[in-house]
Amino acid sequence: MRRFILFAVCWVMGGCAVGISLAPPPNLYRSGLNYPDDLVPAVWRTAEPKIFYMTDRAPNGENYGANRSDSMAFGAATVKFGRDLGWEELLDRTRSDSDQNISSLWVPDFQEIVRFEATPLPYARADGQLNHLQQSLDVYNEQAARFQAVIADEIAQTGNRSLLVYVHGFNNDFEDSLTTLANMWHFAGRESVPVSFTWPAGNGVGPLGYFRDRDAGVFSVHHTKEFLRMLADMPEVDNIDIIAHSRGTDVVTTALRELMIEARGAGVHPKLALKTGTLIMAAPDLDVDIVRQRLQAERFSESFEQINLYINPNDGALRLSAYLTRSIRLGALRNEDFVDGELAILQKEGLVHFIRVENVRGGFGHAYFRDNPAVLSDVVLALRTRAFPGGTLRPLEQDEAGIWVLHPNYPLERLPDLVGLEARRERSEER
C-alpha cells in the first residue's frame, strides 16, 4: 500500500504543471454577452498580447529554468492565442458555448529588459548600524526605476492604473506562468496591466521534487517582496490584484506578511502602503495551523479589499501534500476542519471568503482555477465588479456552515448586464 501511495505521489506531483491551452469560456460569456471588448484599450486588442514578467529563475539558454538566481530579471513576453488567430476570431472563441479547450497558448519570444544586481546587496557596519554600500544601492535603485518606467509607460498607453499579478505553483515552468496569466487576464476583460512573478519551480517530480520546489519558494520570498514594493511605490499605480495558485500562495503570502509588518512598523496602514486590492488564492497548498498563527494572528486580511479562497476537499494533489507534510492543507478544507466559531468570526469580519468548488473534473482537481468555467466566472466577477459573494453581481450560495458553494453552472441566469454596468461606471468616472 505504501509503495502504491508513493507511486501516486510521483504521478500526481509530476502532473501539477498547468497545461498550455485557452480554457473553455467562463459560463458568464456563453450567451455571447458580457465580454467588455469595447472597453479594451486599442493596444491590447490583439491575439498576441505582451505579458510582463519578473523572475529569479536562472537563464538556461532557451529561457529560464528551475535553477535559482540571486539577481532578478524583468522582461516582456509575447503570448500568442493560437497560431493564426486574429482579435475578432479570439473574441468569437471567448464567447463560444463549448466545453472544449479552444486554442493553444504559446510564447514565441520574450525580451529581458532589466537585470538587477544580485542580492543581498553588499553592506558595511558603521556607528552600530549595517548600511548598504551606496554605490551598489544606487545601481539597484536605477534598475528599479527602469522597471517602473516600463510599467508606467504601459499604464500611460492603456489608461489602466491597476495591475494583475500572478504567482504560479509547484512544478510550473517559465512558459506556464505566462500563458496561465494571459488566460486569466484575457477572460478578466484585459482591464489591468498583467505581470507574472515566476519563481524557480520545476525541480523534478515526486516527493523530492515537491520539497525542492518548497525550498525554492522560500528562496524567492525576498525577491517577491522587492517586486511588490517596487510596484506599490509607483505613483502611477492605484491598485494591485493578485492571483496565486498552490505553492505560489505560500510565496506571496509570506512576502506580503513581511511587508505588512514593515508598513505597520513605519506607522502606515498596510493596504495604503501596498495598494493591494483583491487577493485570489486557488487551491492554496498551505498548512492550516500555520495560516492561523502566521496570517490570521497578524490580521493579514486587513491589507485587502477581500480575499477569495477557492477550495476543493477532493483535491488529489493537496491530499498527497497533506500525506507528505502530515498537515491539513488550506485548499482541501472540509467543513469539519474549521475550529469551532472560526467561520462565524470570519463572516463577521467580512473580508475572507471560502468558496467550495463543486464537481471538479480532471487534473486531480487541482488546476480548476484556470480551466473550470464556473470558477473562471467567479474570478472574473470578483475582479471586474469588486463585489463580495452573495449579492446580485456574484450570486453564490452559502451552505449551513457559511461556506460559499460554487456550482458547475454558476452563475445560472442571475447575471446582470456587466458591460452596461462598466460603461456607466467609466462615464461616471470621466465626469
Side-chain angles (χ1 to χ4, degrees), residues 278 306 308 310 353 355 377-379 381-383 385-397 404 410-411 414-416:
T278 295
Q306 60 174 308
N308 296 302
Y310 293 93
H353 314 299
I355 304 164
S377 294
D378 195 57
V379 169
L381 289 173
L383 293 175
T385 70
R386 325 305 295 182
F388 283 15
T392 349
L393 296 176
R394 287 180 69 192
L396 290 163
E397 300 171 352
W404 297 102
Y410 172 87
R414 294 173 290 175
L415 191 69

Side-chain angles (χ1 to χ4, degrees), residues 356-413:
R356 186 175 66 242
V357 183
E358 300 281 280
N359 301 325
V360 176
R361 295 177 295 175
F364 294 93
H366 191 60
Y368 55 81
F369 78 106
R370 62 132 290 157
D371 58 23
N372 182 298
V375 178
L376 276 172
S377 294
D378 195 57
V379 169
V380 169
L381 289 173
L383 293 175
R384 285 180 58 186
T385 70
R386 325 305 295 182
F388 283 15
T392 349
L393 296 176
R394 287 180 69 192
L396 290 163
E397 300 171 352
Q398 277 183 311
D399 67 11
E400 66 286 351
I403 302 291
W404 297 102
V405 180
L406 188 58
H407 299 295
N409 54 357
Y410 172 87
L412 301 172
E413 304 298 325

Side-chain angles (χ1 to χ4, degrees), residues 13 167-171 199 201 210-211 213-215 217-218 244-254 282-287 318 321 325 329 366:
M13 290 302 183
V167 185
H168 61 78
F170 161 79
N171 200 32
W199 51 282
Y210 177 71
F211 287 112
D213 271 12
R214 281 168 61 97
D215 282 352
V218 176
H245 177 234
S246 188
R247 285 303 303 168
T249 59
D250 183 58
V251 177
V252 78
T253 56
T254 303
D285 186 5
L286 296 170
D287 182 312
L318 292 185
S321 174
T325 59
R329 312 315 285 175
H366 191 60

Side-chain angles (χ1 to χ4, degrees), residues 82-283:
R83 295 287 167 175
D84 299 302
L85 244 61
W87 173 239
E88 292 302 325
E89 188 177 0
L90 177 58
L91 287 178
D92 290 341
R93 296 191 183 193
T94 300
R95 303 184 182 106
S96 169
D97 187 11
S98 168
D99 283 325
Q100 303 301 313
N101 289 338
I102 54 180
S103 185
S104 61
L105 274 74
W106 58 295
V107 180
D109 59 70
F110 67 92
Q111 177 189 7
E112 185 173 296
I113 300 171
V114 180
R115 169 63 63 173
F116 285 80
E117 289 285 284
T119 56
L121 298 177
Y123 51 82
R125 183 181 178 191
D127 300 324
Q129 292 185 325
L130 293 176
N131 297 302
H132 287 117
L133 300 185
Q134 193 60 47
Q135 183 178 358
S136 295
L137 188 60
D138 289 345
V139 171
Y140 188 79
N141 288 338
E142 188 275 331
Q143 292 160 345
R146 284 164 52 202
F147 156 61
Q148 292 168 327
V150 173
I151 300 297
D153 182 63
E154 191 75 4
I155 290 171
Q157 288 187 60
T158 63
N160 291 66
R161 298 173 63 88
S162 293
L163 306 179
L164 181 61
V165 169
Y166 172 62
V167 185
H168 61 78
F170 161 79
N171 200 32
N172 280 207
D173 62 26
F174 173 69
E175 193 163 324
D176 288 333
S177 72
L178 296 169
T179 55
T180 300
L181 173 57
N183 186 85
M184 305 296 290
W185 172 74
H186 171 69
F187 283 133
R190 305 190 177 203
E191 296 183 341
S192 51
V193 176
V195 193
S196 172
F197 183 86
T198 173
W199 51 282
N203 291 277
V205 300
L208 287 179
Y210 177 71
F211 287 112
R212 287 168 184 155
D213 271 12
R214 281 168 61 97
D215 282 352
V218 176
F219 164 83
S220 293
V221 167
H222 174 70
H223 289 147
T224 308
K225 286 170 54 180
E226 290 295 283
F227 164 65
L228 293 173
R229 183 187 286 115
M230 290 174 196
L231 293 176
D233 284 345
M234 293 180 60
E236 298 87 353
V237 171
D238 287 342
N239 184 73
I240 303 171
D241 294 320
I242 301 171
I243 300 175
H245 177 234
S246 188
R247 285 303 303 168
T249 59
D250 183 58
V251 177
V252 78
T253 56
T254 303
L256 286 165
R257 175 183 177 272
E258 293 181 11
L259 288 170
M260 286 168 46
I261 294 170
E262 181 182 299
R264 287 185 183 128
V268 182
H269 192 288
K271 190 177 186 317
L272 294 177
L274 302 178
K275 298 182 180 177
T276 34
T278 295
L279 174 62
I280 292 171
M281 296 203 285

